[in-house]
Amino acid sequence: MPEFRHDPIDNRWVIIAESRAARPGAFTTSVGWAVPTIPTEQTHAPVGTAHPTCPFCPGNERETPPEVFALRAGDSKANSPGWRVRVVPNKYPALAMELAPVPAQEAPSLFSSFPAIGVHEVIIDTPRHLGTIAELTDGEFTESWFAIRSRLHALRELASLKHALVFKNVGRASGASIEHVHSQLMATQTITPLVAEELRGAKNYFDAHSQCAFCQMIEAERSAGARLVAESLGFIALCPYASRFAYETWVLPRRHQSHFEATGDGDLADLASFSRGIIGKIERLCQPPAYNLILHTSPFDTTALDHYHWHIEVIPRLTISGGFEWGSGCFANPVSPENAAAVLRS
Ligand SMILES: [Zn+2]
Ligand SMILES: [Zn+2]
Ligand SMILES: [Zn+2]
């Protein structure tokens, strides 16, 4: 069973999950990772052709565990073609699926561990065998966010789960092992360290300033403009002041909102169209596209929080972290967020 292990010196947690080693290591295209064509007219992407060996293509539904959610034609059967978005448990989970009470926290010892229990799901954005988000239509991307919101609503009802991280790995350099565009959702019984740190930092800022740090950041970046990438009715994209990576870009709701799953239908459509435009620009900068998209949202067991503001972080994989980054925990970014934002605005 996968387990969380704790390092008592630097307070770091890792998951030891040997089942992940059985994942297919290669992309599903027999010719390897081809540079995808990004359509210039983004609302009419070409229809992808089903790939015979892709477990996420229609006709291959039996290659995945049975679906837990799908948006599909009314006359189609579960685990058969006819779906538009499909959510399935990850076949090679980093978390064990049986839910159990969280073990009591003990004082840190040399070898602390507990079973890594939770839910690890895959959200297949489209039945079309596409490799990038820019190739999706706005309608497809809206339904994909709809499916994520539905799963978050369902999972927060399970009392033993505390938090969910949703992410996309696009392109081989990002850690993706299957080309067909998809997201992953990992819901855990504890809050993963980076989100815990964000929650702590945001709370400290709120206590000191009586304002949400993210709301203040949005206001400051809108008026200064140098790191602002774009705005829609409900969302803003910016390159954060202390960007870790070249062209790192965050997308945030302009109005304060702590939980992604509280997003209404109209805002989901706005988010899909707006974020797809921003991601399309990042995909053009990274050829072949390689980036991670991460959704940071509030824990399940909280109601609306004044101090935390959900957001999406897009991390292009243009540079590789080296000894300095691994050794210091500090990222050296070769492109200033001011220059990155200027490029992404153009
Ligand atoms: Zn496919
Ligand atoms: Zn806020
Ligand atoms: Zn974050």
Side-chain angles (χ1 to χ4, degrees):
M1 175 183 285
E3 65 178 17
F4 279 104
R5 288 189 183 179
H6 182 249
D7 183 304
I9 298 163
D10 63 9
N11 199 26
R12 180 182 64 213
W13 286 94
V14 299
I15 299 182
I16 306 294
E18 291 197 313
S19 57
R20 299 284 288 162
R23 280 187 305 165
F27 278 71
T28 52
T29 48
S30 56
V31 292
W33 176 237
V35 177
T37 309
I38 298 178
T40 46
E41 175 51 69
Q42 295 187 342
T43 50
H44 299 289
V47 174
T49 309
H51 194 286
T53 61
C54 171
F56 295 168
C57 272
N60 297 339
E61 286 80 4
R62 73 173 72 88
E63 300 298 321
T64 67
E67 66 198 36
V68 293
F69 177 91
L71 296 173
R72 52 169 58 254
D75 57 351
S76 63
K77 288 200 182 75
N79 304 304
S80 68
W83 51 275
R84 303 188 301 281
V85 180
R86 189 163 181 257
V87 184
V88 297
N90 194 309
K91 196 171 178 179
Y92 305 97
L95 301 168
M97 302 286 187
E98 63 266 36
L99 298 179
V102 192
Q105 290 287 328
E106 293 163 13
S109 70
L110 201 53
F111 302 120
S112 301
S113 72
F114 63 90
I117 287 171
V119 170
H120 189 173
E121 297 179 344
V122 175
I123 299 102
I124 309 166
D125 296 294
T126 171
R128 301 187 299 145
H129 188 86
L130 304 175
T132 67
I133 293 173
E135 293 170 286
L136 295 171
T137 64
D138 283 343
E140 284 174 319
F141 205 28
T142 301
E143 289 203 323
S144 167
W145 285 117
F146 180 91
I148 289 166
R149 186 184 64 180
S150 300
R151 291 309 296 151
L152 292 177
H153 273 298
L155 294 169
R156 67 179 285 141
E157 297 305 317
L158 303 177
S160 60
L161 293 175
K162 197 146 190 184
H163 183 255
L165 187 73
V166 178
F167 58 94
K168 275 183 188 294
N169 301 333
V170 177
R172 181 179 272 172
S174 75
S177 57
I178 291 179
E179 182 184 33
H180 192 133
V181 68
H182 63 281
S183 300
Q184 296 184 56
L185 185 159
M186 290 176 76
T188 44
Q189 296 185 298
T190 54
I191 301 173
T192 41
L194 197 53
V195 174
E197 206 170 307
E198 281 194 3
L199 285 161
R200 245 190 324 270
K203 181 72 169 69
N204 289 344
Y205 188 94
F206 189 89
D207 289 345
H209 302 274
S210 304
Q211 293 272 359
C212 163
F214 296 92
C215 283
Q216 289 219 305
M217 184 191 298
I218 290 168
E219 201 178 305
E221 299 297 8
R222 285 189 77 206
S223 57
R227 290 178 292 271
L228 182 70
V229 176
E231 286 183 275
S232 70
L233 197 62
F235 295 89
I236 187 170
L238 54 88
C239 295
Y241 177 70
S243 292
R244 296 155 294 178
F245 306 97
Y247 302 101
E248 174 176 348
T249 305
W250 293 6
V251 174
L252 307 98
R254 283 171 54 179
R255 285 180 301 281
H256 181 80
Q257 195 171 48
S258 54
H259 291 70
F260 169 81
E261 60 268 35
T263 308
D265 288 349
D267 281 338
L268 275 192
D270 183 7
L271 172 67
S273 142
F274 179 67
S275 60
R276 206 174 63 84
I278 302 295
I279 293 163
K281 289 182 175 202
I282 291 170
E283 288 182 355
R284 287 185 194 91
L285 284 173
C286 314
Q287 285 297 333
Y291 57 92
N292 302 102
L293 181 153
I294 297 155
L295 170 66
H296 278 161
T297 184
S298 294
F300 288 149
D301 60 355
T302 55
T303 50
L305 298 174
D306 288 335
H307 63 272
Y308 194 73
H309 195 123
W310 74 261
H311 56 278
I312 293 164
E313 301 182 9
V314 185
I315 297 175
R317 294 301 199 98
L318 286 161
T319 53
I320 295 170
S321 296
F324 174 71
E325 284 82 2
W326 288 114
S328 66
C330 177
F331 293 91
N333 177 357
V335 181
S336 73
E338 295 77 20
N339 282 336
V343 169
L344 291 169
R345 276 196 304 271
S346 64

Coordinates of all heavy atoms in Angstrom, one line a residue, residues 25-58:
G25 N 5.3 3.8 -19.5 CA 6.3 4.9 -19.5 C 6.3 5.7 -20.8 O 6.9 6.7 -20.9
A26 N 5.7 5.1 -21.8 CA 5.8 5.8 -23.1 C 4.4 6.4 -23.5 O 3.4 6.1 -23.0 CB 6.1 4.7 -24.2
F27 N 4.5 7.3 -24.4 CA 3.3 7.9 -25.0 C 2.6 6.9 -25.9 O 3.2 5.9 -26.3 CB 3.6 9.2 -25.8 CG 3.8 10.4 -24.9 CD1 4.9 10.5 -24.1 CD2 2.8 11.3 -24.9 CE1 5.0 11.6 -23.3 CE2 3.0 12.4 -24.1 CZ 4.1 12.6 -23.3
T28 N 1.3 7.1 -26.1 CA 0.6 6.1 -26.9 C 0.8 6.1 -28.4 O 0.5 5.2 -29.1 CB -0.9 6.2 -26.6 OG1 -1.3 7.6 -26.9 CG2 -1.2 5.9 -25.2
T29 N 1.4 7.2 -28.9 CA 1.6 7.3 -30.3 C 2.9 6.4 -30.6 O 3.9 6.5 -29.9 CB 1.9 8.7 -30.8 OG1 2.8 9.3 -29.9 CG2 0.6 9.6 -30.8
S30 N 2.8 5.6 -31.6 CA 3.9 4.8 -31.9 C 5.1 5.5 -32.4 O 6.2 5.1 -32.3 CB 3.5 3.7 -33.0 OG 3.0 4.4 -34.1
V31 N 4.9 6.7 -32.9 CA 6.0 7.5 -33.4 C 6.6 8.4 -32.3 O 7.5 9.2 -32.6 CB 5.6 8.4 -34.6 CG1 5.3 7.5 -35.8 CG2 4.5 9.3 -34.3
G32 N 6.1 8.3 -31.1 CA 6.6 9.1 -30.0 C 5.8 10.5 -30.0 O 4.8 10.6 -30.5
W33 N 6.4 11.4 -29.3 CA 5.8 12.7 -29.0 C 5.9 13.6 -30.2 O 6.9 14.2 -30.4 CB 6.4 13.3 -27.8 CG 5.9 14.6 -27.4 CD1 6.6 15.7 -27.2 CD2 4.5 15.0 -27.1 NE1 5.8 16.8 -26.8 CE2 4.6 16.3 -26.7 CE3 3.3 14.3 -27.1 CZ2 3.4 17.0 -26.4 CZ3 2.2 15.0 -26.8 CH2 2.2 16.3 -26.4
A34 N 4.8 13.7 -31.0 CA 4.9 14.6 -32.2 C 4.4 16.0 -31.8 O 3.6 16.2 -30.8 CB 3.9 14.0 -33.2
V35 N 5.0 17.0 -32.4 CA 4.6 18.4 -32.2 C 3.2 18.5 -32.7 O 2.9 18.3 -33.8 CB 5.5 19.3 -32.9 CG1 5.0 20.8 -32.7 CG2 6.9 19.2 -32.4
P36 N 2.2 18.8 -31.8 CA 0.8 19.0 -32.2 C 0.6 20.3 -33.0 O 1.3 21.2 -32.8 CB 0.0 19.0 -30.9 CG 1.0 19.1 -29.8 CD 2.4 19.1 -30.4
T37 N -0.3 20.2 -33.9 CA -0.7 21.5 -34.6 C -1.7 22.2 -33.8 O -2.7 21.7 -33.4 CB -1.4 21.1 -35.9 OG1 -0.5 20.1 -36.5 CG2 -1.5 22.3 -36.8
I38 N -1.4 23.5 -33.5 CA -2.3 24.3 -32.7 C -3.2 25.0 -33.7 O -2.7 25.8 -34.5 CB -1.6 25.3 -31.8 CG1 -0.7 24.4 -30.8 CG2 -2.5 26.2 -31.0 CD1 0.1 25.2 -29.8
P39 N -4.5 24.8 -33.6 CA -5.3 25.5 -34.6 C -5.4 27.0 -34.4 O -5.4 27.4 -33.3 CB -6.7 24.8 -34.4 CG -6.7 24.3 -33.0 CD -5.2 23.9 -32.7
T40 N -5.4 27.7 -35.5 CA -5.5 29.2 -35.3 C -6.9 29.6 -35.0 O -7.1 30.4 -34.2 CB -5.0 29.9 -36.6 OG1 -5.6 29.2 -37.7 CG2 -3.5 29.8 -36.7
E41 N -7.9 28.8 -35.5 CA -9.3 29.1 -35.2 C -9.6 28.1 -34.1 O -9.9 27.0 -34.3 CB -10.2 28.9 -36.4 CG -11.7 29.0 -36.2 CD -12.0 30.3 -35.4 OE1 -11.9 31.3 -36.0 OE2 -12.4 30.2 -34.2
Q42 N -9.5 28.6 -32.8 CA -9.5 27.7 -31.7 C -10.9 27.1 -31.4 O -11.0 26.1 -30.7 CB -9.0 28.4 -30.5 CG -7.5 28.7 -30.7 CD -6.9 29.3 -29.5 OE1 -7.5 29.7 -28.5 NE2 -5.5 29.2 -29.4
T43 N -12.0 27.7 -31.9 CA -13.3 27.2 -31.5 C -13.7 26.0 -32.4 O -14.7 25.4 -32.2 CB -14.4 28.3 -31.6 OG1 -14.2 28.9 -32.9 CG2 -14.2 29.3 -30.5
H44 N -12.9 25.8 -33.5 CA -13.2 24.7 -34.4 C -12.0 23.7 -34.5 O -11.4 23.7 -35.6 CB -13.7 25.2 -35.7 CG -14.9 26.0 -35.6 ND1 -16.2 25.5 -35.3 CD2 -15.1 27.4 -35.7 CE1 -17.1 26.5 -35.3 NE2 -16.5 27.6 -35.5
A45 N -11.6 23.1 -33.5 CA -10.5 22.2 -33.5 C -10.9 21.0 -34.4 O -12.0 20.6 -34.4 CB -10.1 21.7 -32.1
P46 N -9.9 20.4 -35.1 CA -10.2 19.2 -35.9 C -10.6 18.0 -35.1 O -10.2 17.9 -33.9 CB -8.9 19.0 -36.7 CG -7.9 19.6 -35.8 CD -8.5 20.8 -35.2
V47 N -11.4 17.2 -35.6 CA -11.8 16.0 -34.8 C -10.6 15.1 -34.7 O -10.0 14.7 -35.7 CB -13.0 15.3 -35.6 CG1 -13.3 14.0 -34.9 CG2 -14.2 16.2 -35.6
G48 N -10.3 14.7 -33.5 CA -9.1 13.8 -33.3 C -9.6 12.4 -33.7 O -10.7 12.0 -33.7
T49 N -8.6 11.6 -34.1 CA -8.9 10.2 -34.5 C -8.6 9.3 -33.4 O -7.6 9.4 -32.7 CB -8.0 9.9 -35.7 OG1 -8.1 10.9 -36.7 CG2 -8.4 8.5 -36.3
A50 N -9.6 8.4 -33.1 CA -9.4 7.5 -32.0 C -8.1 6.7 -32.2 O -7.8 6.2 -33.3 CB -10.6 6.5 -31.9
H51 N -7.3 6.5 -31.2 CA -6.1 5.8 -31.3 C -6.3 4.4 -30.7 O -6.8 4.3 -29.6 CB -5.0 6.5 -30.5 CG -3.6 6.0 -30.8 ND1 -3.1 4.8 -30.4 CD2 -2.6 6.6 -31.6 CE1 -1.9 4.7 -30.8 NE2 -1.6 5.7 -31.5
P52 N -6.0 3.4 -31.5 CA -6.4 2.0 -31.1 C -5.8 1.6 -29.8 O -6.4 0.8 -29.0 CB -5.8 1.1 -32.2 CG -4.9 2.0 -33.1 CD -5.3 3.4 -32.8
T53 N -4.6 2.1 -29.4 CA -4.0 1.6 -28.1 C -4.1 2.6 -27.0 O -3.5 2.4 -25.9 CB -2.5 1.3 -28.3 OG1 -1.8 2.5 -28.8 CG2 -2.3 0.2 -29.4
C54 N -4.8 3.7 -27.2 CA -4.9 4.8 -26.2 C -6.1 4.4 -25.2 O -7.2 4.2 -25.6 CB -5.2 6.1 -26.8 SG -5.6 7.4 -25.6
P55 N -5.8 4.2 -23.9 CA -6.8 3.8 -23.0 C -7.9 4.8 -22.8 O -8.9 4.5 -22.2 CB -6.0 3.5 -21.7 CG -4.8 4.4 -21.8 CD -4.4 4.4 -23.3
F56 N -7.6 6.1 -23.2 CA -8.6 7.2 -23.0 C -9.4 7.4 -24.2 O -10.3 8.3 -24.2 CB -7.9 8.5 -22.6 CG -7.2 8.4 -21.2 CD1 -6.3 9.3 -20.8 CD2 -7.4 7.3 -20.4 CE1 -5.6 9.3 -19.6 CE2 -6.8 7.2 -19.1 CZ -5.9 8.2 -18.8
C57 N -9.2 6.7 -25.3 CA -10.0 6.9 -26.5 C -11.3 6.1 -26.5 O -11.3 5.0 -25.9 CB -9.2 6.5 -27.8 SG -8.2 7.9 -28.4
P58 N -12.4 6.5 -27.1 CA -13.6 5.8 -27.2 C -13.4 4.4 -27.8 O -12.6 4.3 -28.8 CB -14.6 6.6 -28.1 CG -13.9 8.0 -28.2 CD -12.5 7.8 -27.9

